[in-house]
Amino acid sequence: MQQDMSTTGWRSALAGSQMLFVAFGALVLMPLITGMNPSVALFTAGLGTLIFQFITQRQVPVFLASSFAFIAPILYSNQTWGIAATLGGLIAAGMVYLVLSLLVYLRGPDFIQRLLPPVVVGPVIMVIGLGLAGTAVNMALGKSGDGSLQLVDESAAMIISLAALLTTLVVAVYARGIFRLLPIMAGVVVGYSLSWILGVVDFTNIGTANWIAMPAFVTPEFHLAAILFMIPVALAPVIEHIGDVMAISSVTGRNFLRKPGLHRTLMGDGLATSAAAFIGGPPNTTYSEVTGAVMLTRNFNPMVMIWAAFFAMGLAFVEKFGAVLLGIPVPVMGGILCLLFGSIAVVGINTLIRNQVDLSEARNLCIVSVTLVFGIGGMAIGSHELTLQGVSLCSVVAILLNLILPAAPASATGAAAESNPS
């Protein structure tokens, strides 16, 4: 009996290392883009997963790690108020999950879908992806994200970024089995190797780094403008969270929206995000890559995710490993991001299509149009101290328009058809 339990434990541990491997590429890419420390991101991904598993009573086989929905807001906030104030805003964003969790508990899970229907969520997700298109292209050309600095020779950068992008595309489309879940990892490996061949990589920091060291944790500061800017951003990841919980429910054949309940999963995600920000890590979200791995392996045991969390936290203390991650050249990330940021925008489009949002209806057309132009065009509202723009602004605008504009009568379409016979 004891031997069987020991064997099961080792299998769970091995499966956990595999799950971390699946999540790893996206997990470290987000902090590298935003200027956060990837070792801290590894630690907070593990910590956040453990918090989530505790809150949900180890019932949901998901892994939490860096959220791409927050990239654009974090980049803007870092430039405007600094990393410490950004972390304070992210703590507040995590609290939004807790408020919504309470409302779901009191009013039922349908409350979120009424507040954030597809016509609101779709264009906001599109803004998250399309708003970052310029950053991806600049990095692919060897520049800094804002295009102000040329970090790598442009001709070499194009070779590296295209190789990383093509590798990611090929693996995503043609690979089979567990390898199909590792397109980002494959792109990074090929891009990094080519960068080494072309003499772009500097291994000095890797050589001087210690084997074991404390991750570079950061203490947050609380700045009102950064907090008010970051709070609306949490609304889009909330919908992403619900979609991921529904996906893992479908994979496992269990309704996690009912048990342990959406209020518990939202609370776990929110606490994980706030806890990460308290020590300098990026906000967390449930990872669809890991859900894909769960579907492939048919291993529904949440203990696998707990093992993955412990592995992530352990790797965070290997300083040489962190130095390798920090040494990834800008064009490698830029090439991969050309696909990832576009994919985010496509998720928003698919949200509208899948839910059959009728854009010929004036109300829906107005909500989507204004949201996209405000979000991508750079509209800003407020004073220098308190400014809403980008994802924050378009989230608020989309919600307000949805609440204010009257819904079209159910018979409107039929009446229009009768008055305009072909």
Side-chain angles (χ1 to χ4, degrees), residues 86-408:
T86 297
L87 294 173
L90 292 172
I91 292 172
M95 295 297 106
V96 173
Y97 285 77
L98 303 187
V99 173
L100 294 174
S101 170
L102 178 62
L103 291 174
V104 169
Y105 178 74
L106 295 175
R107 304 185 61 177
D110 293 339
F111 163 77
I112 295 289
Q113 295 174 349
R114 289 194 298 270
L115 179 67
L116 301 170
V119 72
V120 168
V121 176
V124 171
I125 295 177
M126 291 167 66
V127 166
I128 291 171
L130 295 176
L132 292 166
T135 299
V137 171
N138 284 331
M139 294 173 70
L141 293 174
K143 302 176 183 179
S144 57
D146 59 2
S148 61
L149 298 173
Q150 187 72 45
L151 303 175
V152 178
D153 178 72
E154 187 170 316
S155 58
M158 283 295 295
I159 295 172
I160 295 167
S161 60
L162 287 176
L165 173 59
L166 288 174
T167 301
T168 306
L169 292 172
V170 169
V171 173
V173 174
Y174 294 106
R176 293 291 179 266
I178 193 69
F179 296 104
R180 190 170 187 174
L181 303 172
L182 304 171
I184 296 174
M185 180 72 72
V188 168
V189 170
V190 170
Y192 212 145
S193 301
L194 188 56
S195 299
W196 173 64
I197 294 172
L198 295 176
V200 172
V201 180
D202 182 5
F203 293 108
T204 303
N205 292 333
I206 299 173
T208 57
N210 297 317
W211 279 103
I212 304 296
M214 184 70 68
F217 296 121
V218 180
T219 304
E221 296 176 0
F222 296 96
H223 190 293
L224 181 59
I227 290 172
L228 293 179
F229 170 78
M230 200 64 72
I231 283 176
V233 179
L235 297 176
V238 164
I239 295 299
E240 180 185 29
H241 170 93
I242 296 172
D244 286 337
V245 173
M246 292 175 66
I248 195 65
S249 295
S250 176
V251 168
T252 60
R254 297 173 58 188
N255 189 349
F256 294 123
L257 294 176
R258 298 296 176 187
K259 184 182 179 181
L262 181 59
H263 63 288
R264 281 186 177 272
T265 63
L266 279 171
M267 181 185 297
D269 206 340
L271 287 176
T273 291
S274 294
F278 261 113
I279 56 177
N284 283 320
T285 188
T286 48
Y287 259 32
S288 55
E289 297 99 319
V290 174
T291 297
V294 169
M295 180 171 61
L296 184 67
T297 62
R298 311 302 295 175
N299 191 334
F300 305 148
N301 185 0
M303 275 302 300
V304 170
M305 305 306 168
I306 294 175
W307 274 109
F310 282 127
F311 282 128
M313 295 173 77
L315 279 176
F317 290 90
V318 182
E319 188 177 38
K320 280 193 181 294
F321 185 68
V324 170
L325 298 178
L326 288 170
I328 297 175
V330 165
V332 177
M333 294 185 289
I336 297 169
L337 292 178
C338 288
L339 173 62
L340 286 184
F341 291 161
S343 299
I344 295 173
V346 171
V347 169
I349 297 171
N350 191 46
T351 299
L352 298 175
I353 295 173
R354 188 177 64 250
N355 292 279
Q356 299 181 336
V357 176
D358 185 3
L359 294 181
S360 66
E361 185 181 315
R363 176 182 185 276
N364 294 339
L365 180 64
C366 289
I367 294 172
V368 174
S369 301
V370 174
T371 301
L372 288 175
V373 172
F374 274 30
I376 298 172
M379 175 68 75
I381 296 178
S383 64
H384 177 69
E385 291 296 323
L386 298 174
T387 303
L388 280 180
Q389 70 174 38
V391 179
S392 298
L393 176 61
C394 71
S395 297
V396 173
V397 168
I399 291 172
L400 290 177
L401 288 176
N402 179 63
L403 295 175
I404 294 171
L405 296 179

